[in-house]
Every structure is written in C-alpha cells, then in structure tokens.
Amino acid sequence: MKTLLSFLFVLLVLNANSKNYYFSSTSGDDSRTASQANNSSTPWKSIGKLNSSFSILLPGDSLLFKRGDVFFGAITIAKSGNASLPIVFSAYGTGSKPVITSLVTLSNWTSVGNGIYESYNSTLGANINMLLFNGKEQEMGRYPNSETENNGYLQFESHVSNTSITDNELTSAVNWTGAELVLRTRRWVIDHNFIKSHSGNTITYTPSNSYSPYDRHGYFIQNSIKTLDRLGEWYFNPSSKKLSIYFGSNGPSSHSIQASTLNDLISVTSYNYLV
C-alpha cells in the first residue's frame, strides 16, 4: 500500500509540474516569455514560435491553440513525451476548433485572354498540392477532361521503350511540349513524365522510372495552361509563382480561390507519446 501511495504521489507531483503553453493568432505575441505564455491571457502567436520552443518542453506539457483562431504553418515535432506523461496538442477557449493550414487566398486577378485569369502570390512554393475552388477541392487542368469518354484517358497504339508514345488520333493542333504526360504503365502504376517534345502524333518524354508502357494503356496530359477550358481548371507556373484559372465569361470576382503553400502540416520522425 505504501508503494502504491508513493507512486500516486510521484504522479501527482509530475502532473503538477506540467505546463500549458498557449497560442493565439489573434491576440498572441511571440516576444513574450515562456512564463507569460503559460497564461491564456498572454499567449504566444505563431507555429514558428511553437517549433522553436520544443527545447523547453517536458513530458506532460501541453500546447494549446485558441478556439476560433487560424494558424498558418507546419509543426515540426522535436520532443517526445513518455508513457505516463505524453506531450499534448489541444485547444482552449470557446467556439470552433482551431485550424492549422497552409492555404492562402488568391486575389489581384489579371485577365490573360480566352476566359483565363492569373494571380501572383510570393508565398506559393515549387508546386501546389491542393487548390480549393469555392471551398471544394479542384482538379488541375487536363486534356482530355476527366468527364469525357473513358474517364478522360486516351490510348496510344505504339511506343519506343520508355521514352515515347504514338497515338494515331493525337494531332499537332496543340503542341504539348513542356507539359506533363500522365501515363498508366501498369495497372497499379501511374507515372508523371515531363514532355520533351511533341511532333505530329508522337510524344517524347523524360521517364520518371524504368517502366516501359504497354500499348493501348491510358494516358492524359496536364500541367499546362493549354489544358484550361472548363470552369475552375488551373495551372501553376512555379518560376513566376503565378496561378492560372479558367473562369470563362464570369470572371473571378464571385469565386473564392485558395491554394496550398506547404507540402506538410505536421512532421514527426522518431518521436513518441504525443497526443
């Protein structure tokens, strides 16, 4: 009995030493001390501050995000809890759950003709993994469109190793050089390949792996502004950090466009006991 009571006493002491660190994107200030951040009235502000504060965390500590707030960035875990005292990520306050996001809302649209508008945003990275069109995930522009025959897949009649395909129905009306060839090389493999050249009905590409395709397997083309012909379809140019969308005759004023700027929202490697 004495051993059990001693054990419970130790647990109570350990829990009593645990600390809460508060974060608010609306009322926080990253220049505050750690002691101040232990009080919900004087929270820290950003995920960047959270990442830089892992060195002071101990098992049993909690990182609490204010309800109703939106936090931009990626959490990079750098500390473990333990079996009896995990490190806890949770919320405080009232209202809707806090949101951690990498989405930015695009604005300042400029018409480039043919119903296509473009927007520049310096925070966009090397690629965009997700785009929301009026709050719903929107697929990238592609040729042919996904709702066409055979679910938007074309077929090719012949190929040369894993470097080119020839589709007798493909024309040179649109030159797809510089776009991306999405090629079904196996039933379980879909490759994304850079198109080096397009001449007549033959596409030459840089293979992304060693698989050679089978004739009459499917393919489509994406990642080119030339694919944009349906409301919401988009193309991103990483060198100019400009995103292009087809709005048709309506224009962008009545639509909300959000794009992701980070590949990951939480990164954790070899750390444990996190709740």
Side-chain angles (χ1 to χ4, degrees), residues 104-107 109 131-135 232 243 245 247 252 255-259:
V104 295
T105 299
L106 302 180
S107 58
W109 294 96
L131 183 133
L132 299 185
F133 188 89
N134 296 331
L243 185 128
I245 293 187
F247 289 102
H255 301 284
S256 171
I257 310 299
Q258 293 177 296

Side-chain angles (χ1 to χ4, degrees), residues 14-35:
L14 289 174
N15 280 312
N17 290 331
S18 298
K19 296 179 180 179
N20 293 334
Y21 293 91
Y22 295 90
F23 293 83
S24 171
S25 61
T26 55
S27 62
D29 185 340
D30 286 343
S31 66
R32 290 170 177 154
T33 66
S35 295

Side-chain angles (χ1 to χ4, degrees), residues 21-24 45-47 50 63-69 71 75 88-93 96-100:
Y21 293 91
Y22 295 90
F23 293 83
S24 171
K45 183 179 182 67
S46 69
I47 288 179
L50 183 155
L63 303 163
L64 305 176
F65 301 90
K66 186 177 180 180
R67 291 182 178 273
D69 280 7
F71 299 85
I75 297 175
V88 175
F89 298 80
S90 191
Y92 73 98
S96 58
K97 292 181 179 180
V99 173
I100 298 172

Side-chain angles (χ1 to χ4, degrees), residues 16 168 185 207 234 237:
N168 296 336
T185 55
W234 58 276
N237 185 327

